[in-house]
Amino acid sequence: MRIKVINGPNLNLLGIREPDIYGKVTYKDLVEQIKKYGEDHNIDIEVLQSNHEGDLVDMIQECLYNTDGIVINPGAYTHTSIALLDALKAVNIPAIEVHISEVDKRENFRQISYIRKACTETISGHGINGYMEAIEHLNDHINKL
Ligand code: DQA
């Protein structure tokens, strides 16, 4: 099982950025937790991050032929990017959308998610545990295919 975890803008500042909303765990700690989860469950996981929309499109495209599932937190591009939706549709790899905060209970402009249409599930408001849940769900989902 090969899973890629793709993170969008400002997620590299986890632990520093708005800790009341996103928590105090740093991005480095998040990456370590995800990797440990992969080792413990025998899942090959790569964790990526970019602040740039085009780089995120490239990361999704690069999943073609070498990735079984995608966990994606596109940050603010969730609410704006048709390009990310199109990239997920183009590669047609099972994907789960993750948000650390409970986006549905936040500002109106966060109520739209373009990528949701290309995802089997959305996990929102479970903090960084949401990433591990998403990997677990994706693993189960892919094993059933
Ligand atoms: C986020 C929610 C987005 O609205 C926001 O722009 C982010 C992080 C989350 O993980 O809760 O950057 O995706």
Side-chain angles (χ1 to χ4, degrees):
M1 179 73 59
R2 298 152 308 173
I3 288 180
K4 287 220 181 121
V5 178
I6 299 177
N7 286 295
N10 300 308
L11 288 159
N12 55 317
L13 291 186
L14 273 185
I16 297 166
R17 86 183 275 216
E18 302 179 89
D20 46 320
I21 297 175
Y22 299 111
K24 289 187 179 155
V25 174
T26 63
Y27 182 71
K28 189 170 168 279
D29 290 340
L30 170 67
V31 173
E32 276 167 18
Q33 281 194 37
I34 293 172
K35 287 194 172 155
K36 170 137 191 359
Y37 184 92
E39 281 160 22
D40 292 348
H41 294 81
N42 204 19
I43 305 170
D44 176 357
I45 306 179
E46 196 178 340
V47 189
L48 305 165
Q49 190 274 333
S50 175
N51 292 325
H52 307 281
E53 187 176 11
D55 288 347
L56 295 165
V57 170
D58 288 342
M59 285 172 186
I60 294 169
Q61 289 190 4
E62 278 156 23
C63 291
L64 206 58
Y65 310 124
N66 64 20
T67 302
D68 302 301
I70 297 172
V71 171
I72 182 158
N73 181 350
Y77 291 136
T78 307
H79 319 299
T80 60
S81 179
I82 298 168
L84 292 182
L85 168 67
D86 285 349
L88 285 171
K89 281 183 158 177
V91 297
N92 196 24
I93 294 167
I96 294 188
E97 173 186 13
V98 169
H99 299 287
I100 296 167
S101 66
E102 199 164 3
V103 274
D104 295 343
K105 298 220 171 117
R106 297 182 63 193
E107 301 94 326
N108 281 344
F109 58 80
R110 293 183 208 274
Q111 303 311 313
I112 290 176
S113 165
Y114 285 101
I115 62 146
R116 198 157 295 178
K117 273 195 172 155
C119 295
T120 56
E121 198 185 330
T122 297
I123 296 174
S124 171
H126 296 190
I128 61 159
N129 287 337
Y131 286 91
M132 271 47 84
E133 281 174 45
I135 294 162
E136 188 189 344
H137 291 198
L138 207 46
N139 199 24
D140 291 347
H141 175 78
I142 294 162
N143 282 329
K144 280 188 206 137
L145 291 178

XYZ file of all heavy atoms in Angstrom, residues 79 103-113:
107
model
N -10.825 25.966 -0.805
C -11.982 26.828 -1.031
C -11.917 27.609 -2.339
O -12.810 28.381 -2.643
C -12.114 27.814 0.144
C -11.850 27.158 1.475
N -12.619 26.126 1.950
C -10.888 27.368 2.416
C -12.150 25.740 3.135
N -11.099 26.473 3.431
N -13.944 22.992 9.571
C -14.200 24.049 8.586
C -15.689 24.393 8.464
O -16.032 25.552 8.254
C -13.639 23.712 7.177
C -12.196 24.106 7.041
C -13.828 22.272 6.809
N -16.533 23.396 8.607
C -17.974 23.633 8.436
C -18.543 24.600 9.470
O -19.599 25.185 9.266
C -18.752 22.307 8.491
C -18.380 21.404 7.334
O -17.808 21.918 6.357
O -18.633 20.191 7.420
N -17.825 24.746 10.595
C -18.317 25.652 11.633
C -17.568 26.984 11.633
O -17.704 27.770 12.562
C -18.168 24.986 13.004
C -18.983 23.723 13.144
C -19.615 23.601 14.519
C -20.599 22.464 14.560
N -20.210 21.414 15.500
N -16.769 27.228 10.589
C -15.988 28.470 10.535
C -16.633 29.464 9.552
O -17.830 29.395 9.297
C -14.533 28.142 10.204
C -13.891 27.286 11.312
C -12.445 26.983 11.039
N -11.639 28.192 11.012
C -10.382 28.240 10.552
N -9.808 27.133 10.081
N -9.706 29.377 10.565
N -15.821 30.392 9.005
C -16.358 31.468 8.174
C -17.079 30.921 6.927
O -16.747 29.838 6.439
C -15.236 32.398 7.695
C -14.431 33.059 8.794
C -13.170 32.277 9.147
O -13.180 31.022 9.082
O -12.176 32.926 9.508
N -17.973 31.742 6.398
C -18.722 31.357 5.190
C -17.808 30.984 4.027
O -18.100 30.053 3.286
C -19.636 32.498 4.736
C -20.884 32.543 5.576
O -21.197 31.570 6.279
N -21.592 33.660 5.542
N -16.702 31.745 3.897
C -15.841 31.475 2.738
C -15.143 30.121 2.829
O -14.560 29.655 1.853
C -14.820 32.607 2.506
C -13.905 32.893 3.673
C -12.793 32.105 3.910
C -14.157 33.961 4.523
C -11.937 32.371 4.970
C -13.311 34.238 5.594
C -12.214 33.448 5.830
N -15.203 29.485 3.985
C -14.615 28.137 4.109
C -15.655 27.033 3.869
O -15.362 25.856 4.008
C -13.990 27.947 5.500
C -12.787 28.821 5.741
C -12.147 28.553 7.088
N -11.478 29.745 7.567
C -10.218 30.086 7.247
N -9.483 29.307 6.479
N -9.695 31.202 7.719
N -16.876 27.430 3.527
C -17.936 26.426 3.383
C -17.899 25.718 2.034
O -18.511 24.679 1.865
C -19.323 27.060 3.591
C -19.478 27.758 4.947
C -19.029 26.875 6.113
O -19.400 25.721 6.190
N -18.213 27.420 7.003
N -17.161 26.311 1.084
C -17.027 25.642 -0.219
C -15.759 24.796 -0.216
O -14.698 25.271 0.184
C -16.912 26.675 -1.360
C -18.248 27.378 -1.537
C -16.466 26.025 -2.661
C -18.192 28.483 -2.567
N -15.884 23.555 -0.644
C -14.697 22.743 -0.912
C -14.814 22.218 -2.333
O -15.681 21.395 -2.621
C -14.595 21.570 0.055
O -13.646 20.638 -0.446
